[in-house]
Amino acid sequence: MAIMDRRTFFGISAAGALAAASTTLEGKVPEAIKDFVKDKSLKIKFMGTGSAGGIGKNGLGRRHSSILVNDDFIIDFTDDSLDMIPAGVHPETIFYTHSHKDHFQPSAALKIGIKKVYLSHSWYDIAVKAFRQAATEAGAAMPEIIPTYFGMDVKVGDVTVTPLLANHPTDYIYEEAQIYLIEKDGVRLLYATDTSGIPGKSARHIGIDKHREGYGINALIMEATSSDPDDFRLYCHSSTDIVEKTVRVLLKTDRLHMPEGQKVYITHMSRKLHPKNINETLPEPLRAAEDGLEVIFRAP
Ligand SMILES: [Zn+2]
Ligand SMILES: [Zn+2]
């Protein structure tokens, strides 16, 4: 297949074909293009898009928020999403945003064979203790636990992950919850859960505040725990209006520069705090992610 053909394919896909579920691509795109898409893009599978309530016993909720990046590593994981790992995929690396139980569950990580764990140095001791206990109980090997620091990137294969600061308190006063910049092949995706807005220090580091020239990110997944602007969780979570404002400002000033047709996905939604027809209530380019949704991000 000639390179030209591939370019033509991308030329006609502006309406967001690549931002659609990759299962569509799997079904219709010739082998050579599939490889190209895989090589020059970043694939995210939402393995959970809910808040602390999770899927619940009645199965009506959303699984705890968790993503699979490029079929290679995971950010946050609990028992809720055990059924979400694709067949034949065996991620061995996990990042944890913070210690809350809807994100951090060592026993679940051990069940799927995680061998490498990255989390903020600020709660390293707590995490080591929790993993040691879970490993003893499960009779599993203790994974390697590696402390991370603000702005110091971590490479996993050909993906670069930069830990950033979240605005999200936990039970441990010294713990710093993290959001992440995830980069591959020119894609700069900010994955921001759990956090109330984007802290200035993180915004500056990734180039989306007023002091930088040019765009800082070209893809965004952000939490919206509730849809009520007056929700009391104002100081630890975002609501849809916070995401709307963030996106409006970043797009207007070209600090978020997305390919045509690409959406901003919201996650970490509480079933009780959002309407059922959530996508009908969101303005463009916002979309509520769904458990199991796969999105292919590419650079503009
Ligand atoms: Zn949470
Ligand atoms: Zn939390």
Side-chain angles (χ1 to χ4, degrees), residues 219-278:
L220 176 62
I221 298 169
M222 189 165 170
E223 73 129 299
T225 302
S226 80
S227 62
D228 177 6
D230 295 337
D231 190 275
F232 74 91
R233 297 166 187 82
L234 178 62
Y235 302 105
C236 48
H237 285 295
S238 302
S239 47
T240 38
D241 70 302
I242 292 180
V243 181
E244 276 178 50
K245 184 173 184 184
T246 302
V247 170
R248 191 170 68 242
V249 171
L250 291 181
L251 284 176
K252 208 180 221 174
T253 59
D254 205 33
R255 279 160 173 77
L256 166 61
H257 186 92
M258 301 194 293
E260 200 184 331
Q262 187 175 288
K263 307 299 178 193
V264 168
Y265 293 90
I266 63 169
T267 188
H268 203 269
M269 290 161 274
S270 163
R271 188 175 68 92
K272 291 182 187 151
L273 300 175
H274 281 282
K276 265 198 182 123
N277 59 341
I278 179 164

Side-chain angles (χ1 to χ4, degrees), residues 5-300:
D5 289 340
R6 295 175 188 177
R7 286 202 183 125
T8 307
F9 172 76
F10 283 105
I12 58 167
S13 69
L18 287 174
S22 68
T23 43
T24 312
L25 293 173
E26 298 287 332
K28 291 178 186 163
V29 179
E31 229 29 66
I33 292 180
K34 268 207 308 195
D35 288 347
F36 185 78
V37 169
K38 190 165 179 270
D39 289 349
K40 296 292 177 193
S41 62
L42 178 72
K43 183 165 93 172
I44 300 294
K45 176 173 180 176
F46 289 92
M47 299 201 293
T49 56
S51 59
I55 194 155
K57 287 199 176 77
N58 55 15
L60 293 176
R62 295 169 175 271
R63 290 166 180 77
H64 292 141
S65 290
S66 167
I67 55 168
L68 174 65
V69 182
N70 255 21
D71 285 344
D72 195 24
F73 65 93
I74 291 174
I75 299 181
D76 296 335
F77 190 75
T78 74
D79 278 343
D80 262 19
S81 301
L82 283 168
D83 63 336
M84 278 282 142
I85 306 222
V89 171
H90 304 287
E92 294 187 347
T93 301
I94 191 165
F95 289 75
Y96 285 110
T97 54
H98 63 301
S99 66
H100 281 158
K101 286 187 172 62
D102 56 321
H103 300 259
F104 175 67
Q105 187 189 357
S107 60
L110 295 173
K111 274 180 207 163
I112 58 168
I114 291 293
K115 294 185 171 56
K116 216 173 225 187
V117 178
Y118 290 97
L119 44 78
S120 169
H121 66 96
S122 59
W123 59 289
Y124 174 83
D125 291 350
I126 293 158
V128 168
K129 196 175 160 196
F131 259 102
R132 203 166 273 149
Q133 191 183 332
T136 305
E137 280 167 15
M142 181 73 181
E144 182 184 3
I145 302 186
I146 301 153
T148 61
Y149 295 82
F150 176 92
M152 292 180 70
D153 59 36
V154 176
K155 294 233 183 323
V156 186
D158 47 8
V159 180
T160 303
V161 181
T162 306
L164 303 162
L165 199 63
N167 185 22
H168 189 69
T170 69
D171 290 342
Y172 310 111
I173 58 164
Y174 297 112
E175 179 178 349
E176 290 172 358
Q178 293 179 332
I179 55 177
Y180 299 102
L181 178 69
I182 306 169
E183 291 174 273
K184 180 179 175 284
D185 290 325
V187 175
R188 283 170 64 85
L189 164 69
L190 177 63
Y191 180 66
T193 193
D194 297 7
T195 185
S196 168
I198 298 168
K201 184 170 164 170
S202 302
R204 175 131 339 158
H205 191 76
I206 59 175
I208 56 170
D209 82 349
K210 64 175 181 166
H211 300 277
R212 285 276 180 90
E213 302 237 324
Y215 75 79
I217 54 172
N218 46 40
L220 176 62
I221 298 169
M222 189 165 170
E223 73 129 299
T225 302
S226 80
S227 62
D228 177 6
D230 295 337
D231 190 275
F232 74 91
R233 297 166 187 82
L234 178 62
Y235 302 105
C236 48
H237 285 295
S238 302
S239 47
T240 38
D241 70 302
I242 292 180
V243 181
E244 276 178 50
K245 184 173 184 184
T246 302
V247 170
R248 191 170 68 242
V249 171
L250 291 181
L251 284 176
K252 208 180 221 174
T253 59
D254 205 33
R255 279 160 173 77
L256 166 61
H257 186 92
M258 301 194 293
E260 200 184 331
Q262 187 175 288
K263 307 299 178 193
V264 168
Y265 293 90
I266 63 169
T267 188
H268 203 269
M269 290 161 274
S270 163
R271 188 175 68 92
K272 291 182 187 151
L273 300 175
H274 281 282
K276 265 198 182 123
N277 59 341
I278 179 164
N279 268 322
E280 287 161 36
T281 68
L282 296 172
E284 287 291 334
L286 267 57
R287 282 286 183 284
E290 296 297 333
D291 294 2
L293 174 71
E294 285 189 358
V295 180
I296 304 228
F297 292 100
R298 61 183 179 88

